[in-house]
Amino acid sequence: MGSSTFANRKSWSDRIFDIIIYVVVTFVVIVTLYPFLNVLAISLNDSIDSVRGGITIFPREFTVDNYIKIFSFTGLLTGLKISALRTVIGTFLGLLTASMLAFTIARVDFQGRKFVSTFLALTMYVSGGLIPTYMLMRDLHLMNTFAVYILPGAVSAFNVFVIRSFIDGIPYALQESATLDGANDFTIYWRIILPLAKPALATIALFLAVGQWNAWFDTYLYNGSNEALTTLQFELMKVLQSTTAGSGGDYRSNIVSQATNQVSPESIKMAITIVVTVPILLVYPFLQNYFVKGMTLGAVKS
């Protein structure tokens, strides 16, 4: 008992080190969370009172009028639907194409693996540029269509190589054993490779989801005049421009003028920022949990 008690005692240097670690971690947490909590507090505070400033992480005069006004804008609601739809479809299609292509070029019996890998690698360093890409989308009749959000980025060389690197770490004997048992290529891909590649798939899914959710420039290029295919980020960008400029006769300037007597431009920006940020933040815990489970499963199987 005495020896165990002595072993559990910490020296003063260990205690000081622990205190320093706690202080540093607390500081990092505060620095990380404070900007988000400050934006949330301003978005939930009365707009007239917000002009006075001095709001930290708690609203002085709580109200949800800012959000009520935000959701009264038709363009933002339409953008929310399109952004959510493109995020779900784009993430699923991107994962499917990247994982299938990675599985193909990871096969040692695939004769064209070196050529395909080299071709994919070149696309990471050579690009046609903005104007040729625009002309290609126009010639493919993808302008003013929802498909322009999905098809151009359906295959990413970077995502393919990330998944392929993980598949290369899976013993090829598993595929050979499945082949001897009568499994075809699709069965091997679906029932062996995908379950073992969950960590890589979760990581790529997060990249794809964040990229699709935050995208707005493709809307500006290809669907800028189509209000039915607008995205939430594109609407946010236009509202932020209008609140900054404060002039002009377009739809975004009218938003500010309509809200002048109810909410301030600053409260509009903060409320929209929360509306845009929260949905994608909710994805992180799910993918993180899935990522940990996938790593555990992969370690057991290997």
Side-chain angles (χ1 to χ4, degrees):
M1 179 68 70
S3 60
S4 62
T5 303
F6 179 78
N8 291 331
R9 291 179 180 176
K10 290 185 177 181
S11 63
W12 282 106
S13 60
D14 291 337
R15 293 179 180 179
I16 294 175
F17 180 77
D18 290 343
I19 293 174
I20 294 176
I21 293 298
Y22 291 145
V23 171
V24 171
V25 171
T26 303
F27 176 76
V28 171
V29 170
I30 293 175
V31 170
T32 304
L33 291 180
Y34 178 78
F36 180 80
L37 294 178
N38 179 252
V39 171
L40 179 62
I42 296 177
S43 69
L44 292 173
N45 194 75
D46 179 74
S47 60
I48 299 178
D49 180 74
S50 298
V51 177
R52 296 165 47 198
I55 299 177
T56 55
I57 61 175
F58 298 104
R60 249 190 326 254
E61 297 184 15
F62 180 84
T63 181
V64 294
D65 290 343
N66 301 327
Y67 291 93
I68 294 176
K69 189 63 181 178
I70 288 297
F71 285 103
S72 67
F73 301 149
T74 306
L76 295 180
L77 292 178
T78 303
L80 178 61
K81 297 176 184 177
I82 298 298
S83 292
L85 189 61
R86 70 174 293 180
T87 299
V88 173
I89 298 178
T91 301
F92 173 77
L93 184 61
L95 272 181
L96 182 65
T97 55
S99 60
M100 294 184 71
L101 186 54
F103 168 68
T104 302
I105 63 178
R107 294 284 297 258
V108 296
D109 56 348
F110 176 52
Q111 299 297 326
R113 59 181 300 187
K114 184 175 182 180
F115 171 78
V116 176
S117 299
T118 303
F119 178 80
L120 287 174
L122 288 176
T123 63
M124 300 177 63
Y125 300 100
V126 180
S127 173
L130 181 60
I131 296 178
T133 302
Y134 180 88
M135 296 175 64
L136 177 62
M137 297 300 107
R138 181 196 62 189
D139 295 340
L140 292 176
H141 304 288
L142 293 177
M143 304 284 289
N144 292 315
T145 64
F146 180 79
V148 77
Y149 297 144
I150 307 299
L151 296 182
V155 179
S156 170
F158 174 79
N159 296 343
V160 171
F161 287 131
V162 170
I163 299 177
R164 178 200 168 175
S165 298
F166 193 89
I167 294 177
D168 286 338
I170 300 175
Y172 189 71
L174 293 177
Q175 301 185 42
E176 293 178 334
S177 300
T179 303
L180 293 176
D181 291 337
N184 56 29
D185 291 341
F186 182 78
T187 302
I188 295 174
Y189 161 78
W190 188 259
R191 305 192 64 177
I192 296 178
I193 299 301
L194 289 188
L196 296 180
K198 284 181 180 179
L201 295 178
T203 302
I204 298 303
L206 185 59
F207 291 162
L208 291 171
V210 173
Q212 287 284 358
W213 181 260
N214 290 333
W216 66 271
F217 193 60
D218 50 0
T219 308
Y220 174 76
L221 288 178
Y222 311 123
N223 292 329
S225 59
N226 192 340
E227 295 185 0
L229 291 175
T230 188
T231 57
L232 185 61
Q233 299 289 354
F234 184 57
E235 292 298 316
L236 170 63
M237 182 273 297
K238 291 187 287 188
V239 172
L240 292 179
Q241 282 186 345
S242 65
T243 55
T244 302
S247 61
D250 60 1
Y251 163 67
R252 304 321 164 245
S253 297
N254 292 334
I255 288 180
V256 182
S257 62
Q258 292 171 6
T260 301
N261 297 326
Q262 301 180 34
V263 293
S264 67
E266 187 68 17
S267 62
I268 291 179
K269 291 189 291 185
M270 297 305 177
I272 295 179
T273 301
I274 295 298
V275 171
V276 170
T277 305
V278 168
I280 200 63
L281 284 179
L282 297 178
V283 178
Y284 277 90
F286 171 77
L287 287 181
Q288 182 180 11
N289 184 44
Y290 194 62
F291 181 82
V292 173
K293 289 182 179 179
M295 288 188 64
T296 305
L297 180 61
V300 172
K301 292 293 183 179
S302 60

